[in-house]
mmCIF file of all heavy atoms in Angstrom:
data_model
loop_
_atom_site.group_PDB
_atom_site.id
_atom_site.type_symbol
_atom_site.label_atom_id
_atom_site.label_comp_id
_atom_site.label_asym_id
_atom_site.label_seq_id
_atom_site.Cartn_x
_atom_site.Cartn_y
_atom_site.Cartn_z
ATOM 1 N N TYR W 82 121.067 123.821 110.740
ATOM 2 C CA TYR W 82 119.804 124.405 111.121
ATOM 3 C C TYR W 82 118.961 124.701 109.871
ATOM 4 O O TYR W 82 118.853 125.860 109.384
ATOM 5 C CB TYR W 82 120.123 125.730 111.853
ATOM 6 C CG TYR W 82 119.042 126.163 112.808
ATOM 7 C CD1 TYR W 82 119.426 126.836 114.016
ATOM 8 C CD2 TYR W 82 117.687 126.019 112.560
ATOM 9 C CE1 TYR W 82 118.436 127.233 114.924
ATOM 10 C CE2 TYR W 82 116.697 126.385 113.477
ATOM 11 C CZ TYR W 82 117.085 127.016 114.657
ATOM 12 O OH TYR W 82 116.122 127.464 115.541
ATOM 13 N N PRO W 83 118.257 123.693 109.353
ATOM 14 C CA PRO W 83 117.491 123.873 108.169
ATOM 15 C C PRO W 83 116.169 124.616 108.392
ATOM 16 O O PRO W 83 115.670 124.608 109.492
ATOM 17 C CB PRO W 83 117.217 122.470 107.597
ATOM 18 C CG PRO W 83 117.236 121.619 108.907
ATOM 19 C CD PRO W 83 118.241 122.268 109.774
ATOM 20 N N ALA W 84 115.633 125.217 107.332
ATOM 21 C CA ALA W 84 114.367 125.980 107.401
ATOM 22 C C ALA W 84 113.252 125.380 106.526
ATOM 23 O O ALA W 84 112.093 125.763 106.636
ATOM 24 C CB ALA W 84 114.605 127.405 107.081
ATOM 25 N N PHE W 85 113.617 124.443 105.637
ATOM 26 C CA PHE W 85 112.665 123.904 104.692
ATOM 27 C C PHE W 85 112.763 122.379 104.700
ATOM 28 O O PHE W 85 113.794 121.809 104.960
ATOM 29 C CB PHE W 85 112.987 124.447 103.251
ATOM 30 C CG PHE W 85 112.732 125.954 103.165
ATOM 31 C CD1 PHE W 85 113.762 126.856 103.409
ATOM 32 C CD2 PHE W 85 111.457 126.412 102.852
ATOM 33 C CE1 PHE W 85 113.574 128.163 103.284
ATOM 34 C CE2 PHE W 85 111.250 127.809 102.708
ATOM 35 C CZ PHE W 85 112.322 128.713 102.979
ATOM 36 N N PRO W 86 111.639 121.714 104.336
ATOM 37 C CA PRO W 86 111.641 120.279 104.324
ATOM 38 C C PRO W 86 112.726 119.656 103.380
ATOM 39 O O PRO W 86 113.371 118.699 103.708
ATOM 40 C CB PRO W 86 110.251 119.902 103.781
ATOM 41 C CG PRO W 86 109.442 121.115 104.289
ATOM 42 C CD PRO W 86 110.276 122.248 104.142
ATOM 43 N N TYR W 87 112.882 120.267 102.208
ATOM 44 C CA TYR W 87 113.929 119.732 101.256
ATOM 45 C C TYR W 87 115.280 119.793 101.873
ATOM 46 O O TYR W 87 116.031 118.755 101.827
ATOM 47 C CB TYR W 87 113.893 120.634 99.961
ATOM 48 C CG TYR W 87 115.007 120.345 99.042
ATOM 49 C CD1 TYR W 87 114.922 119.259 98.151
ATOM 50 C CD2 TYR W 87 116.105 121.162 98.979
ATOM 51 C CE1 TYR W 87 115.952 118.968 97.296
ATOM 52 C CE2 TYR W 87 117.151 120.908 98.087
ATOM 53 C CZ TYR W 87 117.106 119.774 97.258
ATOM 54 O OH TYR W 87 118.116 119.544 96.390
ATOM 55 N N ASP W 88 115.648 120.899 102.501
ATOM 56 C CA ASP W 88 116.978 120.991 103.122
ATOM 57 C C ASP W 88 117.078 120.063 104.348
ATOM 58 O O ASP W 88 118.087 119.408 104.532
ATOM 59 C CB ASP W 88 117.190 122.412 103.586
ATOM 60 C CG ASP W 88 117.352 123.375 102.393
ATOM 61 O OD1 ASP W 88 117.664 122.929 101.318
ATOM 62 O OD2 ASP W 88 117.013 124.572 102.611
ATOM 63 N N ALA W 89 116.013 119.942 105.091
ATOM 64 C CA ALA W 89 116.025 119.143 106.313
ATOM 65 C C ALA W 89 116.358 117.666 105.959
ATOM 66 O O ALA W 89 117.170 116.945 106.604
ATOM 67 C CB ALA W 89 114.756 119.192 107.050
ATOM 68 N N LYS W 90 115.700 117.184 104.922
ATOM 69 C CA LYS W 90 115.852 115.778 104.578
ATOM 70 C C LYS W 90 117.279 115.517 104.085
ATOM 71 O O LYS W 90 117.992 114.577 104.506
ATOM 72 C CB LYS W 90 114.879 115.317 103.501
ATOM 73 C CG LYS W 90 114.969 113.877 103.136
ATOM 74 C CD LYS W 90 113.909 113.389 102.168
ATOM 75 C CE LYS W 90 114.128 111.918 101.830
ATOM 76 N NZ LYS W 90 113.148 111.399 100.956
ATOM 77 N N GLY W 91 117.774 116.346 103.162
ATOM 78 C CA GLY W 91 119.102 116.076 102.559
ATOM 79 C C GLY W 91 120.231 116.363 103.544
ATOM 80 O O GLY W 91 121.239 115.625 103.582
ATOM 81 N N LEU W 92 120.072 117.376 104.406
ATOM 82 C CA LEU W 92 121.121 117.668 105.334
ATOM 83 C C LEU W 92 121.238 116.687 106.479
ATOM 84 O O LEU W 92 122.278 116.381 107.003
ATOM 85 C CB LEU W 92 120.872 119.071 105.933
ATOM 86 C CG LEU W 92 121.176 120.197 104.936
ATOM 87 C CD1 LEU W 92 120.714 121.568 105.475
ATOM 88 C CD2 LEU W 92 122.638 120.330 104.558
ATOM 89 N N LEU W 93 120.056 116.096 106.891
ATOM 90 C CA LEU W 93 120.113 115.055 107.967
ATOM 91 C C LEU W 93 120.732 113.844 107.413
ATOM 92 O O LEU W 93 121.585 113.213 108.210
ATOM 93 C CB LEU W 93 118.677 114.756 108.392
ATOM 94 C CG LEU W 93 118.531 113.729 109.495
ATOM 95 C CD1 LEU W 93 119.425 114.117 110.744
ATOM 96 C CD2 LEU W 93 117.163 113.488 109.965
ATOM 97 N N ALA W 94 120.545 113.489 106.172
ATOM 98 C CA ALA W 94 121.252 112.311 105.634
ATOM 99 C C ALA W 94 122.763 112.577 105.582
ATOM 100 O O ALA W 94 123.507 111.645 105.945
ATOM 101 C CB ALA W 94 120.756 112.113 104.177
ATOM 102 N N THR W 95 123.190 113.773 105.227
ATOM 103 C CA THR W 95 124.596 114.066 105.282
ATOM 104 C C THR W 95 125.164 114.065 106.666
ATOM 105 O O THR W 95 126.271 113.569 106.976
ATOM 106 C CB THR W 95 124.836 115.510 104.667
ATOM 107 O OG1 THR W 95 124.390 115.474 103.307
ATOM 108 C CG2 THR W 95 126.283 115.856 104.666
ATOM 109 N N ALA W 96 124.360 114.574 107.659
ATOM 110 C CA ALA W 96 124.819 114.583 109.102
ATOM 111 C C ALA W 96 125.053 113.174 109.590
ATOM 112 O O ALA W 96 126.039 112.953 110.308
ATOM 113 C CB ALA W 96 123.746 115.282 109.901
ATOM 114 N N ILE W 97 124.269 112.242 109.129
ATOM 115 C CA ILE W 97 124.406 110.836 109.606
ATOM 116 C C ILE W 97 125.606 110.233 108.888
ATOM 117 O O ILE W 97 126.354 109.452 109.470
ATOM 118 C CB ILE W 97 123.094 110.084 109.395
ATOM 119 C CG1 ILE W 97 122.053 110.581 110.294
ATOM 120 C CG2 ILE W 97 123.305 108.555 109.581
ATOM 121 C CD1 ILE W 97 120.649 110.092 110.010
ATOM 122 N N ASN W 98 125.828 110.609 107.661
ATOM 123 C CA ASN W 98 127.050 110.074 106.971
ATOM 124 C C ASN W 98 128.349 110.629 107.516
ATOM 125 O O ASN W 98 129.349 109.993 107.472
ATOM 126 C CB ASN W 98 126.953 110.440 105.476
ATOM 127 C CG ASN W 98 125.842 109.659 104.757
ATOM 128 O OD1 ASN W 98 125.345 108.626 105.211
ATOM 129 N ND2 ASN W 98 125.354 110.221 103.638
ATOM 130 N N ASP W 99 128.254 111.851 107.944
ATOM 131 C CA ASP W 99 129.498 112.566 108.462
ATOM 132 C C ASP W 99 129.989 111.858 109.699
ATOM 133 O O ASP W 99 129.201 111.646 110.663
ATOM 134 C CB ASP W 99 129.163 114.029 108.769
ATOM 135 C CG ASP W 99 130.366 114.885 108.892
ATOM 136 O OD1 ASP W 99 131.352 114.447 109.569
ATOM 137 O OD2 ASP W 99 130.355 116.047 108.401
ATOM 138 N N PRO W 100 131.310 111.514 109.814
ATOM 139 C CA PRO W 100 131.781 110.817 110.960
ATOM 140 C C PRO W 100 132.076 111.719 112.161
ATOM 141 O O PRO W 100 132.631 111.271 113.154
ATOM 142 C CB PRO W 100 133.089 110.205 110.449
ATOM 143 C CG PRO W 100 133.566 111.207 109.397
ATOM 144 C CD PRO W 100 132.317 111.681 108.742
ATOM 145 N N ASN W 101 131.663 112.989 112.034
ATOM 146 C CA ASN W 101 131.942 113.928 113.146
ATOM 147 C C ASN W 101 130.642 114.279 113.864
ATOM 148 O O ASN W 101 129.564 114.025 113.342
ATOM 149 C CB ASN W 101 132.518 115.254 112.529
ATOM 150 C CG ASN W 101 133.899 114.959 111.909
ATOM 151 O OD1 ASN W 101 134.897 114.754 112.588
ATOM 152 N ND2 ASN W 101 133.960 114.933 110.565
ATOM 153 N N PRO W 102 130.725 114.817 115.091
ATOM 154 C CA PRO W 102 129.478 115.162 115.848
ATOM 155 C C PRO W 102 128.803 116.353 115.224
ATOM 156 O O PRO W 102 129.385 117.384 114.930
ATOM 157 C CB PRO W 102 130.122 115.531 117.196
ATOM 158 C CG PRO W 102 131.472 115.951 116.995
ATOM 159 C CD PRO W 102 131.973 115.148 115.816
ATOM 160 N N VAL W 103 127.488 116.141 114.999
ATOM 161 C CA VAL W 103 126.667 117.177 114.370
ATOM 162 C C VAL W 103 125.448 117.374 115.268
ATOM 163 O O VAL W 103 124.758 116.549 115.759
ATOM 164 C CB VAL W 103 126.137 116.676 113.003
ATOM 165 C CG1 VAL W 103 125.258 117.764 112.372
ATOM 166 C CG2 VAL W 103 127.274 116.347 112.077
ATOM 167 N N LEU W 104 125.231 118.721 115.542
ATOM 168 C CA LEU W 104 124.030 119.150 116.239
ATOM 169 C C LEU W 104 123.040 119.582 115.176
ATOM 170 O O LEU W 104 123.306 120.565 114.433
ATOM 171 C CB LEU W 104 124.272 120.194 117.266
ATOM 172 C CG LEU W 104 125.000 119.716 118.561
ATOM 173 C CD1 LEU W 104 126.509 119.880 118.391
ATOM 174 C CD2 LEU W 104 124.439 120.448 119.738
ATOM 175 N N PHE W 105 121.900 118.906 115.095
ATOM 176 C CA PHE W 105 120.918 119.102 114.017
ATOM 177 C C PHE W 105 119.657 119.780 114.610
ATOM 178 O O PHE W 105 118.852 119.144 115.223
ATOM 179 C CB PHE W 105 120.590 117.835 113.383
ATOM 180 C CG PHE W 105 119.896 117.929 112.003
ATOM 181 C CD1 PHE W 105 120.620 118.005 110.859
ATOM 182 C CD2 PHE W 105 118.501 117.978 111.894
ATOM 183 C CE1 PHE W 105 119.990 118.188 109.551
ATOM 184 C CE2 PHE W 105 117.825 118.142 110.717
ATOM 185 C CZ PHE W 105 118.634 118.217 109.585
ATOM 186 N N PHE W 106 119.526 121.086 114.394
ATOM 187 C CA PHE W 106 118.475 121.853 115.005
ATOM 188 C C PHE W 106 117.239 121.777 114.151
ATOM 189 O O PHE W 106 117.348 121.995 112.888
ATOM 190 C CB PHE W 106 118.847 123.285 115.200
ATOM 191 C CG PHE W 106 119.832 123.476 116.375
ATOM 192 C CD1 PHE W 106 121.161 123.245 116.211
ATOM 193 C CD2 PHE W 106 119.295 123.829 117.600
ATOM 194 C CE1 PHE W 106 121.960 123.415 117.365
ATOM 195 C CE2 PHE W 106 120.126 123.983 118.684
ATOM 196 C CZ PHE W 106 121.510 123.766 118.557
ATOM 197 N N GLU W 107 116.096 121.483 114.710
ATOM 198 C CA GLU W 107 114.841 121.364 114.003
ATOM 199 C C GLU W 107 113.858 122.268 114.693
ATOM 200 O O GLU W 107 113.420 122.014 115.851
ATOM 201 C CB GLU W 107 114.297 119.921 113.988
ATOM 202 C CG GLU W 107 115.310 118.975 113.498
ATOM 203 C CD GLU W 107 115.040 117.474 113.885
ATOM 204 O OE1 GLU W 107 113.852 117.224 114.394
ATOM 205 O OE2 GLU W 107 115.886 116.605 113.732
ATOM 206 N N HIS W 108 113.342 123.285 114.002
ATOM 207 C CA HIS W 108 112.416 124.207 114.709
ATOM 208 C C HIS W 108 111.037 123.593 114.767
ATOM 209 O O HIS W 108 110.420 123.222 113.799
ATOM 210 C CB HIS W 108 112.385 125.572 113.921
ATOM 211 C CG HIS W 108 111.905 126.685 114.767
ATOM 212 N ND1 HIS W 108 110.529 126.774 115.234
ATOM 213 C CD2 HIS W 108 112.550 127.719 115.305
ATOM 214 C CE1 HIS W 108 110.428 127.860 115.906
ATOM 215 N NE2 HIS W 108 111.613 128.493 116.013
ATOM 216 N N LYS W 109 110.543 123.539 116.031
ATOM 217 C CA LYS W 109 109.250 122.833 116.325
ATOM 218 C C LYS W 109 108.119 123.485 115.521
ATOM 219 O O LYS W 109 107.168 122.841 115.116
ATOM 220 C CB LYS W 109 108.990 122.825 117.795
ATOM 221 C CG LYS W 109 110.096 122.186 118.670
ATOM 222 C CD LYS W 109 109.629 122.030 120.081
ATOM 223 C CE LYS W 109 109.447 123.441 120.739
ATOM 224 N NZ LYS W 109 110.671 124.173 120.843
ATOM 225 N N ALA W 110 108.169 124.854 115.516
ATOM 226 C CA ALA W 110 107.094 125.579 114.850
ATOM 227 C C ALA W 110 106.994 125.307 113.345
ATOM 228 O O ALA W 110 105.879 125.561 112.718
ATOM 229 C CB ALA W 110 107.222 127.046 115.127
ATOM 230 N N LEU W 111 108.049 124.816 112.770
ATOM 231 C CA LEU W 111 108.058 124.472 111.333
ATOM 232 C C LEU W 111 107.518 123.048 111.089
ATOM 233 O O LEU W 111 107.172 122.680 109.893
ATOM 234 C CB LEU W 111 109.440 124.557 110.760
ATOM 235 C CG LEU W 111 110.070 125.921 110.912
ATOM 236 C CD1 LEU W 111 111.488 125.923 110.201
ATOM 237 C CD2 LEU W 111 109.248 127.095 110.244
ATOM 238 N N TYR W 112 107.558 122.164 112.130
ATOM 239 C CA TYR W 112 107.284 120.760 111.888
ATOM 240 C C TYR W 112 106.014 120.547 111.078
ATOM 241 O O TYR W 112 106.041 119.739 110.111
ATOM 242 C CB TYR W 112 107.109 120.080 113.245
ATOM 243 C CG TYR W 112 108.395 119.557 113.847
ATOM 244 C CD1 TYR W 112 108.483 119.380 115.199
ATOM 245 C CD2 TYR W 112 109.482 119.205 113.089
ATOM 246 C CE1 TYR W 112 109.627 118.880 115.770
ATOM 247 C CE2 TYR W 112 110.650 118.678 113.658
ATOM 248 C CZ TYR W 112 110.730 118.482 114.980
ATOM 249 O OH TYR W 112 111.853 118.059 115.578
ATOM 250 N N ARG W 113 104.893 121.179 111.390
ATOM 251 C CA ARG W 113 103.616 120.892 110.746
ATOM 252 C C ARG W 113 103.067 122.136 110.041
ATOM 253 O O ARG W 113 101.901 122.085 109.664
ATOM 254 C CB ARG W 113 102.662 120.307 111.776
ATOM 255 C CG ARG W 113 103.001 118.885 112.225
ATOM 256 C CD ARG W 113 102.257 118.337 113.302
ATOM 257 N NE ARG W 113 102.472 116.894 113.540
ATOM 258 C CZ ARG W 113 103.606 116.443 114.150
ATOM 259 N NH1 ARG W 113 104.501 117.263 114.626
ATOM 260 N NH2 ARG W 113 103.752 115.121 114.236
ATOM 261 N N SER W 114 103.847 123.207 109.880
ATOM 262 C CA SER W 114 103.375 124.399 109.299
ATOM 263 C C SER W 114 103.956 124.645 107.970
ATOM 264 O O SER W 114 103.430 125.409 107.147
ATOM 265 C CB SER W 114 103.651 125.629 110.178
ATOM 266 O OG SER W 114 105.030 125.844 110.309
ATOM 267 N N ILE W 115 105.052 123.991 107.581
ATOM 268 C CA ILE W 115 105.794 124.235 106.371
ATOM 269 C C ILE W 115 105.690 123.008 105.490
ATOM 270 O O ILE W 115 106.049 121.866 105.982
ATOM 271 C CB ILE W 115 107.263 124.644 106.578
ATOM 272 C CG1 ILE W 115 107.325 125.947 107.441
ATOM 273 C CG2 ILE W 115 107.974 124.831 105.275
ATOM 274 C CD1 ILE W 115 106.726 127.111 106.681
ATOM 275 N N ARG W 116 105.306 123.146 104.258
ATOM 276 C CA ARG W 116 105.278 122.031 103.273
ATOM 277 C C ARG W 116 106.113 122.433 102.087
ATOM 278 O O ARG W 116 106.302 123.548 101.805
ATOM 279 C CB ARG W 116 103.898 121.727 102.876
ATOM 280 C CG ARG W 116 102.891 121.378 103.999
ATOM 281 C CD ARG W 116 101.574 120.942 103.446
ATOM 282 N NE ARG W 116 101.655 119.632 102.821
ATOM 283 C CZ ARG W 116 101.260 118.479 103.395
ATOM 284 N NH1 ARG W 116 100.803 118.493 104.735
ATOM 285 N NH2 ARG W 116 101.331 117.360 102.797
ATOM 286 N N GLN W 117 106.581 121.374 101.387
ATOM 287 C CA GLN W 117 107.429 121.562 100.190
ATOM 288 C C GLN W 117 107.506 120.320 99.337
ATOM 289 O O GLN W 117 107.315 119.166 99.917
ATOM 290 C CB GLN W 117 108.828 122.048 100.589
ATOM 291 C CG GLN W 117 109.679 122.581 99.533
ATOM 292 C CD GLN W 117 111.073 123.007 100.088
ATOM 293 O OE1 GLN W 117 111.615 122.418 101.059
ATOM 294 N NE2 GLN W 117 111.664 124.022 99.469
ATOM 295 N N GLU W 118 107.693 120.477 98.083
ATOM 296 C CA GLU W 118 107.975 119.260 97.257
ATOM 297 C C GLU W 118 109.356 118.765 97.552
ATOM 298 O O GLU W 118 110.373 119.509 97.484
ATOM 299 C CB GLU W 118 107.925 119.671 95.764
ATOM 300 C CG GLU W 118 106.485 119.913 95.208
ATOM 301 C CD GLU W 118 105.632 118.693 95.269
ATOM 302 O OE1 GLU W 118 106.230 117.603 94.883
ATOM 303 O OE2 GLU W 118 104.442 118.721 95.558
ATOM 304 N N VAL W 119 109.388 117.533 97.987
ATOM 305 C CA VAL W 119 110.677 116.887 98.462
ATOM 306 C C VAL W 119 110.812 115.577 97.680
ATOM 307 O O VAL W 119 109.909 114.744 97.637
ATOM 308 C CB VAL W 119 110.626 116.620 99.954
ATOM 309 C CG1 VAL W 119 111.887 115.849 100.454
ATOM 310 C CG2 VAL W 119 110.518 117.975 100.673
ATOM 311 N N PRO W 120 112.057 115.298 97.210
ATOM 312 C CA PRO W 120 112.299 113.939 96.560
ATOM 313 C C PRO W 120 111.897 112.861 97.521
ATOM 314 O O PRO W 120 112.278 112.852 98.724
ATOM 315 C CB PRO W 120 113.768 113.972 96.255
ATOM 316 C CG PRO W 120 114.101 115.423 96.165
ATOM 317 C CD PRO W 120 113.247 116.192 97.118
ATOM 318 N N THR W 121 111.304 111.763 96.964
ATOM 319 C CA THR W 121 110.912 110.657 97.849
ATOM 320 C C THR W 121 112.100 109.753 98.140
ATOM 321 O O THR W 121 112.102 109.070 99.163
ATOM 322 C CB THR W 121 109.785 109.928 97.180
ATOM 323 O OG1 THR W 121 110.187 109.513 95.847
ATOM 324 C CG2 THR W 121 108.530 110.728 97.034
ATOM 325 N N ASP W 122 113.032 109.699 97.232
ATOM 326 C CA ASP W 122 114.201 108.824 97.385
ATOM 327 C C ASP W 122 115.238 109.489 98.280
ATOM 328 O O ASP W 122 115.197 110.704 98.541
ATOM 329 C CB ASP W 122 114.786 108.407 96.064
ATOM 330 C CG ASP W 122 113.848 107.463 95.269
ATOM 331 O OD1 ASP W 122 113.108 106.761 95.905
ATOM 332 O OD2 ASP W 122 113.949 107.474 94.021
ATOM 333 N N TYR W 123 116.215 108.685 98.768
ATOM 334 C CA TYR W 123 117.338 109.171 99.569
ATOM 335 C C TYR W 123 118.221 110.135 98.765
ATOM 336 O O TYR W 123 118.551 109.858 97.600
ATOM 337 C CB TYR W 123 118.137 107.989 100.052
ATOM 338 C CG TYR W 123 119.314 108.286 100.834
ATOM 339 C CD1 TYR W 123 119.255 108.301 102.253
ATOM 340 C CD2 TYR W 123 120.576 108.474 100.266
ATOM 341 C CE1 TYR W 123 120.378 108.647 103.052
ATOM 342 C CE2 TYR W 123 121.687 108.712 101.041
ATOM 343 C CZ TYR W 123 121.565 108.807 102.401
ATOM 344 O OH TYR W 123 122.691 109.027 103.159
ATOM 345 N N TYR W 124 118.541 111.261 99.374
ATOM 346 C CA TYR W 124 119.521 112.176 98.707
ATOM 347 C C TYR W 124 120.295 112.860 99.779
ATOM 348 O O TYR W 124 119.888 112.832 100.972
ATOM 349 C CB TYR W 124 118.798 113.106 97.806
ATOM 350 C CG TYR W 124 117.895 114.071 98.489
ATOM 351 C CD1 TYR W 124 118.296 115.362 98.924
ATOM 352 C CD2 TYR W 124 116.576 113.724 98.769
ATOM 353 C CE1 TYR W 124 117.416 116.185 99.531
ATOM 354 C CE2 TYR W 124 115.670 114.551 99.415
ATOM 355 C CZ TYR W 124 116.158 115.824 99.796
ATOM 356 O OH TYR W 124 115.270 116.690 100.389
ATOM 357 N N THR W 125 121.407 113.543 99.452
ATOM 358 C CA THR W 125 122.209 114.320 100.362
ATOM 359 C C THR W 125 122.360 115.704 99.908
ATOM 360 O O THR W 125 122.257 116.006 98.724
ATOM 361 C CB THR W 125 123.603 113.692 100.519
ATOM 362 O OG1 THR W 125 124.267 113.639 99.267
ATOM 363 C CG2 THR W 125 123.487 112.240 101.071
#
């Protein structure tokens, strides 16, 4: 359950790599209200 763009991007990549079931919560109110400097390349 990430709260920031930086965390959301890296944690979603890890969730997809993880071979186990992951529920990835994304708060709708944060979608277009929160901005952050985020690496452009792939990271976990």
Side-chain angles (χ1 to χ4, degrees):
Y82 205 144
F85 294 91
Y87 171 81
D88 294 334
K90 182 175 179 179
L92 290 170
L93 181 55
T95 300
I97 292 170
N98 291 339
D99 195 317
N101 297 287
V103 180
L104 286 94
F105 195 89
F106 285 84
E107 307 163 11
H108 201 290
K109 305 185 298 293
L111 301 181
Y112 273 154
R113 290 170 171 80
S114 65
I115 300 296
R116 303 184 73 96
Q117 194 179 29
E118 287 293 321
V119 174
T121 56
D122 291 333
Y123 179 91
Y124 65 95
T125 60

